[in-house]
Each structure stands twice: as structure tokens, then as C-alpha cells.
Amino acid sequence: IEVMNKIIKTILITILLLLSIFLITSCNIFKTDTDSCSSLDNLAKDNCYLENNNCEKIVSVSLQDTCFAERAKTEKNLNLCYTLKDEAVQFYCQEQVIELLNDHELCNNISNNYWEDNCHFHLAINNNKSTYCDLISDHSQKESCYKEIALTTNDYLLCEFLNTEDRESCMFKIAKSTQKLEICSELSNAINQDACRIKIAQLKNDKDICKLIRLSVIREDCIASFNTTNVSNTSNWSNTSVENSS
């Protein structure tokens, strides 16, 4: 009986060892099969690893940086950006992650004017914070920042930061959007002011507003616009060029 027990124990141990070996072998085979990228060559292999977010295995420095930058965005991990080898990708990575974190103070840590400006711009737009626009060094982008927030928030005072043509268009659009007559008075010349008033008169369907128009030819057209037979007379004024300018 004792001998039989020893034989049984030996058989069981042998079976367990065989099972262990089988499992280990199976795991190795499975691991090899799942790394489908390894069978590819050079750039194709790197692109495969990039698509699978397996950044550590990418050989190309530029592709590896791109991979880690996308991972940093996914994880909102700003520290990962600082490990990138290519400065341009590093700055891009910083701006993108800071935008996702929505932490404006971090924009000042970007030591590149282009990407720092982009950081100020996007966080200004995303949060309707016009004060951030003033931190943008590029004049054109700074104006775009003020204009976009002005039109989004209907804050006509922000139009003052724009060049003359864009200022007029900006104020005209906000006056039309809010239907506030007082904004028309802020336009730079009498024609634009009265074109603004006739537009609001039509939008409000209020003939009395026509009386506020100073130029007689526009005032008469405004009054005539409430006569259905003469409605076409106002098209040149209510659709003035200042409204349609960029």
C-alpha cells in the first residue's frame, strides 16, 4: 500500500509538472502571436507599434515622440511631454495637454512663442477669457482672439481691440444679434450707423426706429420698407458692406 501511495504521488507530481510546462509554453506562444507587429519590417513595424500605442518598441525617434505625445494627451500627463527628444513635438505636446487640463498658468511654461500663443488663444476661446488674449504676442492671432470672444459673448467693447474694418463688422453683427440700438451709435460713420438702425428696425418690425435715422435717404427707405410694395428699397442699406465684411 505504501509503495502504491508513492507511485500515485509520483504520477500526480509528474502530471502537475507536465501541466506547468504546457501552460508556460502556451503563454510564450500566445505572447509571440499577439505581437503581430514584430513580423513587419522597419517603418511598417514602427507604424504598427504606433497604432497600438506600444511606444517603447518604436525605433524611429520622431515616431516614438509622436506616440508618447498622444499617450500624454490621453493620460493628461504633462511630465511625459518633457521626456520627448524633439523640441517641436515637446512644445506641441505641452500645449495640447495644458489645453486638456484647462490650466492657463501653465501656458507660461512653454518656452516657444508660437505654442505659448496657441495656448493663450485656445484657453481664452474655450473659457471666454478676453484677458488671456492680451498675452498673445502675434498681433493677428490676438485680434482673432478678441473678435471670436466678442461675437460669442456679444460684448461689443471687445471690438475696440480690432482694426477699423473688423471693428465695424464686429459691432454691426453684435448690434444685429442683440438688437441694441445704442451699439449703432458706436459705429464710425453716419452711413454705417443708419444702416445699423434700419437693420434693427426691420428685425424688431418697429417703424418708429426709422425716425432715429439721420440721413434722409436712408430714413425714407426705412419707412418705405414697412410698405410691402417697397420692401425691396431697403436691401442696399440693411445689407450694407460693413455687415458682410470679415
Side-chain angles (χ1 to χ4, degrees):
I1 293 174
E2 189 174 340
V3 174
M4 285 297 295
N5 285 336
K6 286 182 178 180
I7 292 172
I8 292 171
K9 284 182 180 180
T10 303
I11 292 171
L12 288 172
I13 291 170
T14 303
I15 291 172
L16 287 172
L17 286 171
L18 289 171
L19 282 172
S20 298
I21 293 169
F22 174 77
L23 288 172
I24 291 170
T25 305
S26 297
C27 287
N28 288 333
I29 292 171
F30 180 75
K31 185 177 180 181
T32 302
D33 289 341
T34 54
D35 190 3
S36 56
C37 301
S38 63
S39 61
L40 302 174
D41 294 325
N42 302 324
L43 185 59
K45 183 190 292 186
D46 277 354
N47 283 327
C48 181
Y49 286 136
L50 177 63
E51 290 172 5
N52 288 279
N53 195 30
N54 199 343
C55 309
E56 291 79 4
K57 291 190 175 183
I58 297 175
V59 176
S60 166
V61 173
S62 59
L63 281 180
Q64 188 178 60
D65 275 355
T66 300
C67 186
F68 279 124
E70 292 306 309
R71 182 183 292 180
K73 287 165 59 178
T74 301
E75 299 174 357
K76 296 182 181 179
N77 183 354
L78 188 57
N79 288 329
L80 187 54
C81 297
Y82 296 111
T83 68
L84 306 182
K85 298 177 180 66
D86 188 308
E87 270 198 339
V89 183
Q90 185 182 131
F91 295 139
Y92 158 81
C93 180
Q94 287 177 261
E95 193 280 330
Q96 292 287 293
V97 173
I98 293 170
E99 192 177 333
L100 291 168
L101 292 171
N102 198 32
D103 188 341
H104 179 255
E105 288 187 8
L106 294 173
C107 292
N108 297 318
N109 295 337
I110 303 176
S111 56
N112 176 275
N113 287 339
Y114 174 81
W115 287 109
E116 183 183 348
D117 279 353
N118 279 342
C119 190
H120 292 310
F121 177 84
H122 287 119
L123 289 185
I125 300 303
N126 293 345
N127 296 284
N128 286 324
K129 287 278 191 180
S130 59
T131 52
Y132 298 167
C133 298
D134 195 49
L135 300 173
I136 298 171
S137 60
D138 181 81
H139 184 72
S140 177
Q141 191 175 29
K142 180 184 290 188
E143 286 200 350
S144 295
C145 183
Y146 280 122
K147 182 178 180 180
E148 191 161 337
I149 295 176
L151 295 176
T152 300
T153 62
N154 283 324
D155 184 353
Y156 76 93
L157 294 176
L158 295 178
C159 302
E160 295 289 357
F161 292 98
L162 309 180
N163 63 60
T164 303
E165 183 179 353
D166 284 345
R167 174 191 179 277
E168 294 291 284
S169 171
C170 178
M171 286 194 172
F172 197 105
K173 288 175 180 176
I174 292 174
K176 188 173 73 168
S177 175
T178 60
Q179 296 184 15
K180 290 182 178 180
L181 277 169
E182 59 267 29
I183 299 177
C184 296
S185 300
E186 299 296 326
L187 293 169
S188 63
N189 61 67
I191 293 178
N192 288 345
Q193 290 174 7
D194 283 347
C196 178
R197 293 181 183 112
I198 193 173
K199 171 62 74 174
I200 293 177
Q202 292 173 338
L203 291 171
K204 286 190 168 186
N205 194 29
D206 186 350
K207 186 177 181 180
D208 288 339
I209 293 176
C210 299
K211 298 174 184 176
L212 302 175
I213 295 174
R214 296 175 183 177
L215 298 176
S216 59
V217 63
I218 302 179
R219 183 170 60 251
E220 289 168 7
D221 280 350
C222 181
I223 294 169
S225 72
F226 288 90
N227 179 343
T228 54
T229 60
N230 294 311
V231 70
S232 62
N233 291 342
T234 65
S235 60
N236 289 335
W237 301 113
S238 61
N239 296 303
T240 184
S241 60
V242 67
E243 178 184 16
N244 299 319
S245 61
S246 59

